[in-house]
Amino acid sequence: MKKGLFVTFEGMEGSGKTTAIQAVAAFLTEQGHRVCITREPGGTPIGQEIRNWLLNPDSVLQDVRSELLLFAADRLEHIAGVIRPALSRGEVVLCDRFTDSTLAYQVGGRGLDSDLVAYGIGLAGLVPDLTFLMDVSPEEGLRRAGKRGALDRFEKEDMTFHHRVRDAYLAIAKRESRVHVVDTERLGPVDCVERVLGVVDSFLSAS
Ligand code: T5A
């Protein structure tokens, strides 16, 4: 049974998800919460194998639906092996990417059929309590990501792909009240974390 709090962080490459998660986790831990930090793809041993393959710029797929199924397999193992056990222990789970990434990248970016993707997402059977969309323009996000070195298979996509992904994310935020947009281009890392903590705090006080 779910007892903890499930919080997901979404957004483009280089949008500041990892930076925010680390700071939010430190703050919540200091306040006495038990926190589980995890990510997709790659939150389990098999998920790490799937991640390596999916992000490798040399990986080639003949059918783009295989990509959807690889993310779905990663997610099912992650939910069963990491997320649900942590929630049942009452932990705050901070997850770097979840089902909204599939909607943004596989429907928005790749143009896959939304019913097919909805089926893949439905297999998860788990909806976040709160989601933070760390919003940044693709130009700025990729500039930040590029500073780390070689670009991965998704980062190497053209700018129109990245703009479709961002548009899809903003559309999700418009229709889902659990999604809170944080402008990481205008706000520095400290202000972004303050905004996230304000929302988490209100949510915890109200529940
Ligand atoms: N994918 C994933 C799908 O297609 N479908 C799916 O279902 C799923 C789950 C995963 C890829 O897989 C795709 C999407 C992705 O392409 P990833 O490596 O896990 O890739 O995710 P990335 O988004 O690529 O991770 P990044 O590390 O690039 O981005 P972050 O975590 O958002 O950014 P972060 O925190 O590392 O920050 C990047 C830089 O920006 C600075 C930081 O200091 C750092 O240098 N920064 C800021 N600068 C200014 N202002 C701020 N507010 C800042 N916040 C951070």
Side-chain angles (χ1 to χ4, degrees):
M1 183 160 28
K2 180 176 177 299
K3 292 185 296 190
L5 180 69
F6 184 33
V7 186
T8 59
F9 291 75
E10 295 282 355
M12 315 286 302
E13 290 75 8
S15 59
K17 300 178 299 299
T18 311
T19 306
I21 287 172
Q22 296 298 334
V24 169
F27 186 87
L28 292 176
T29 304
E30 209 167 281
Q31 282 195 324
H33 294 281
R34 278 175 301 155
V35 176
C36 166
I37 296 180
T38 189
R39 69 171 178 182
E40 289 193 1
T44 62
I46 190 168
Q48 187 56 48
E49 300 283 325
I50 294 172
R51 178 186 176 88
N52 291 343
W53 197 89
L54 279 168
L55 267 57
N56 184 342
D58 296 329
S59 298
V60 178
L61 288 172
Q62 304 303 325
D63 186 326
V64 72
R65 291 173 300 180
S66 307
E67 185 178 278
L68 170 71
L69 295 174
L70 286 166
F71 280 116
D74 167 74
R75 182 162 301 132
L76 291 181
E77 288 302 303
H78 189 212
I79 291 171
V82 176
I83 300 176
R84 282 206 189 278
L87 291 174
S88 67
R89 291 191 299 268
E91 296 177 10
V92 178
V93 176
L94 303 179
C95 188
D96 193 334
R97 298 190 180 280
F98 194 61
T99 45
D100 295 325
S101 282
T102 313
L103 283 174
Y105 285 80
Q106 276 65 54
V107 179
R110 299 280 190 231
L112 277 180
D113 177 66
S114 55
D115 288 340
L116 177 67
V117 174
Y119 174 75
I121 285 176
L123 291 173
L126 183 64
V127 177
D129 297 302
L130 283 175
T131 297
F132 293 97
L133 171 55
M134 311 305 282
D135 184 47
V136 72
S137 64
E139 290 78 7
E140 172 62 10
L142 290 171
R143 189 192 64 78
R144 293 180 193 166
K147 280 192 188 166
R148 276 191 307 244
L151 299 179
D152 69 31
R153 198 167 67 88
F154 290 90
E155 290 163 349
K156 283 178 99 92
E157 291 289 337
D158 63 26
M159 288 312 285
T160 59
F161 173 90
H162 292 288
H163 279 282
R164 287 198 303 273
V165 171
R166 187 193 192 191
D167 290 347
Y169 266 135
L170 292 172
I172 296 169
K174 266 198 175 161
R175 63 175 187 264
E176 299 281 351
S177 58
R178 69 180 158 80
V179 181
H180 300 262
V181 181
V182 181
D183 182 345
T184 80
E185 197 153 341
R186 194 174 56 82
L187 300 177
V190 173
D191 290 333
C192 288
V193 170
E194 258 184 37
R195 161 124 172 84
V196 171
L197 286 173
V199 175
V200 172
D201 210 39
S202 307
F203 189 90
L204 287 171
S205 312
S207 49

